[in-house]
């Protein structure tokens, strides 16, 4: 099994890696993992998605007090290791964002929302969804949210 981990700043990474090796002894650390463990909170989970995209399965371990996405706890690692291959997987809607910048296409994945903001001048953006033009947008910014996205941010913008 190919795995990788993303850690919140300030955690004892050596201790967490020992636990991973204990419960997942035959893992191979890979930059193209099948599973990504995120140790932290929702912010760490979102960083993991930004880094690895939509291909791997994610296991978000909550290392704080509150997590909407990170609902597993460190004590659950043994259960996860025993049931990993038979677990029901929750699918989340993600945005794949491709944009042209300095004549190069950039690609990012978003779980909550994507915003483009330039408060200093009007932007002219051609917005496509699945290769189909949605609109030619003029304004200082645009926010596109997923169903699980940042409702408060979207609502504050009038969405």
């Amino acid at each position: 099994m190919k795995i990788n981990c993303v850690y919140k700043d300030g955690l004892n990474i050596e201790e967490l890696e020992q636990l991973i090796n204990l419960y997942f002894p035959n893992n191979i650390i890979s930059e193209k993992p099948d599973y990504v463990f995120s140790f932290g909170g929702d912010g760490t989970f979102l960083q993991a998605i930004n880094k690895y995209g939509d291909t791997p399965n994610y296991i978000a371990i909550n290392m704080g007090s509150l997590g909407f996405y990170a609902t597993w706890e460190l004590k659950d690692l043994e259960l996860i290791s025993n049931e990993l291959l038979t677990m029901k997987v929750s699918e989340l809607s993600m945005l794949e964002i491709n944009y042209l910048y300095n004549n190069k296409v950039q690609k990012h994945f978003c779980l909550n929302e994507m915003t483009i903001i330039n408060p200093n001048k009007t932007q002219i953006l051609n917005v496509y969804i699945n290769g189909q033009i949605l609109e030619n947008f003029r304004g200082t910014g645009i926010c596109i949210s997923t169903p699980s996205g940042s409702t408060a941010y979207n609502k504050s913008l009038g969405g």
Side-chain angles (χ1 to χ4, degrees):
M1 174 172 59
K2 297 185 293 184
I3 71 165
N4 214 319
C5 300
V6 176
Y7 304 97
K8 173 182 163 183
D9 289 341
L11 295 180
N12 184 336
I13 295 172
E14 282 183 17
E15 184 178 300
L16 293 171
E17 287 177 346
Q18 287 176 357
L19 283 172
I20 289 289
N21 288 328
L22 175 67
Y23 293 116
F24 302 92
N26 297 318
N27 67 69
I28 299 167
I29 301 298
S30 171
E31 285 304 310
K32 295 189 182 237
D34 302 310
Y35 294 90
V36 173
F37 290 83
S38 140
F39 292 93
D42 289 349
T44 308
F45 178 61
L46 294 172
Q47 287 174 1
I49 288 174
N50 193 40
K51 182 174 182 178
Y52 293 103
D54 66 342
T55 305
N57 293 298
Y58 292 92
I59 299 163
I61 310 292
N62 188 349
M63 301 297 286
S65 59
L66 179 65
F68 295 102
Y69 296 118
T71 56
W72 292 103
E73 295 180 12
L74 201 54
K75 66 180 173 71
D76 299 322
L77 275 179
E78 183 176 8
L79 173 68
I80 293 167
S81 71
N82 292 333
E83 299 184 14
L84 184 64
L85 299 178
T86 59
M87 274 186 199
K88 183 180 177 186
V89 177
S90 297
E91 291 192 27
L92 299 170
S93 297
M94 273 198 248
L95 293 173
E96 177 183 326
I97 307 297
N98 296 292
Y99 60 92
L100 186 62
Y101 183 73
N102 287 339
N103 294 321
K104 185 177 178 188
V105 174
Q106 304 284 325
K107 180 186 206 178
H108 291 278
F109 291 92
C110 309
L111 182 61
N112 281 350
E113 77 277 325
M114 183 275 309
T115 57
I116 300 172
I117 300 172
N118 185 341
N120 298 322
K121 70 178 205 172
T122 300
Q123 300 177 87
I124 302 170
L125 305 170
N126 296 320
V127 180
Y128 292 83
I129 296 179
N130 296 329
Q132 299 288 322
I133 186 79
L134 174 68
E135 73 173 293
N136 296 325
F137 173 82
R138 288 178 174 270
T140 57
I142 188 169
C143 175
I144 302 170
S145 294
T146 68
S148 63
S150 182
T151 307
Y153 192 34
N154 187 27
K155 186 157 179 65
S156 74
L157 294 170

